[in-house]
Amino acid sequence: MSAPPPAFDPARLKVLPREFFNRDPRRVCRELLGKVLVRREGNKLLAGRVVELEAYMGMGDPAAHAYVGPTARNRVLFGPPGHAYIYFIYGNHYCLNVSCMPEGKAGSVLFRALEPLVGIAEMERARGLAGAKASKRVLRLLTSGPGRLAEAFGITRPRDNGKDLTDATSDLFLADGGCPPPRVLTTVRVGITKAAERPLRYVIAGNEFVSKKRVLEPAQR
DNA sequence: TTATAGATTGCCT
DNA sequence: GGCAATCTATAAT
């Protein structure tokens, strides 16, 4: 059984500094778990705790979009750290990454699942689930999966690609919500065919909102 | 210019 | 568990 979610107070959000992202994506993954993704438009607030991430290692990683070098599509990955890289996949879904490493290096982190904290009714509308009877199953349908969380937060490439996620005045940013450091497990990455064996998926141990049921291997370096 | 695979999801059997 | 949906980037012709 999992522990109850820690209390969450939007007034105490502290935006993460750019230096947080100016390092190896694997390190960013470990420390980003438990932090909060925030969408703020006027008085509307959406927030979700980060519970599942994957690291992409830039030009050295055959599974990474940056593997081919800088292009019009992936140029944000080669820019300064802490910015949103959003791509469209399978003709249906947007996926959110945050750029890591110094400008010129293209590591990144893919957001695979969030735990909804604030704005659940709005997320249900965005996901086409308005009016559904409240249940754990419906809650999981909101943000458990990279395409789902993007839709729940209204994240699209035209709207959000290139945004600075360390800017507290932005309508999309990443913050420390005061969650104590969670226990982290690693597994192989999901849904890729190239370099699929590397243990670069990071999840909060035991969290209900992780996107897939799958055997979790012990955390390793 | 045409073909194919893709960091996914949801519906169908 | 299988597979269609539906667009983009890239490879092949």
Side-chain angles (χ1 to χ4, degrees):
Chain A
M1 295 298 98
S2 62
F8 175 73
D9 178 4
R12 283 209 292 206
L13 288 173
K14 289 200 311 201
V15 176
L16 298 175
R18 188 167 320 288
E19 279 310 299
F20 185 96
F21 301 99
N22 189 21
R23 49 190 174 162
D24 189 297
R26 292 168 293 196
R27 189 71 191 287
V28 174
C29 278
R30 287 189 177 280
E31 299 198 19
L32 195 52
L33 287 173
K35 303 299 193 292
V36 181
L37 178 68
V38 180
R39 171 72 97 182
R40 193 166 48 192
E41 324 173 55
N43 55 4
K44 194 168 83 181
L45 181 70
L46 301 180
R49 190 192 322 282
V50 179
V51 302
E52 176 181 350
L53 298 166
E54 279 177 2
Y56 286 84
M57 305 303 292
M59 293 190 69
D61 181 357
H65 288 183
Y67 185 63
V68 296
T71 66
R73 178 201 196 193
N74 68 22
R75 67 185 166 75
V76 173
L77 295 176
F78 291 87
H83 289 255
Y85 167 62
I86 295 152
Y87 65 91
F88 192 55
I89 192 69
Y90 295 117
N92 287 295
H93 308 287
Y94 290 100
C95 295
L96 170 68
N97 292 246
V98 59
S99 61
C100 303
M101 306 289 286
E103 184 157 11
K105 300 263 191 177
S108 64
V109 168
L110 168 70
F111 290 79
R112 287 200 52 90
L114 305 174
E115 175 178 344
L117 294 173
V118 177
I120 287 170
E122 173 60 27
M123 293 184 205
E124 287 175 345
R125 272 193 292 279
R127 291 276 296 122
L129 294 166
K133 190 156 99 62
S135 69
K136 183 180 291 184
R137 187 187 68 88
V138 169
L139 215 49
R140 270 184 50 88
L141 286 174
L142 298 181
T143 53
S144 291
R148 290 171 175 175
L149 73 89
E151 188 171 58
F153 275 65
I155 292 168
T156 70
R157 180 171 170 100
R159 179 181 181 187
D160 299 306
N161 190 56
K163 272 186 187 168
D164 182 358
L165 299 179
T166 68
D167 177 0
T169 70
S170 168
D171 66 347
L172 190 67
F173 60 90
L174 286 163
D176 189 328
C179 178
R183 193 160 67 85
V184 175
L185 299 182
T186 63
T187 79
V188 295
R189 293 181 289 190
V190 173
I192 58 173
T193 53
K194 291 169 284 194
E197 75 291 349
R198 301 188 192 180
L200 295 176
R201 175 174 177 246
Y202 296 77
V203 306
I204 293 184
N207 188 279
E208 303 280 339
F209 294 89
V210 166
S211 71
K212 301 222 179 219
K213 311 228 190 269
R214 149 188 299 264
V215 177
L216 300 179
E217 297 150 21
Q220 44 194 262
R221 194 73 280 259

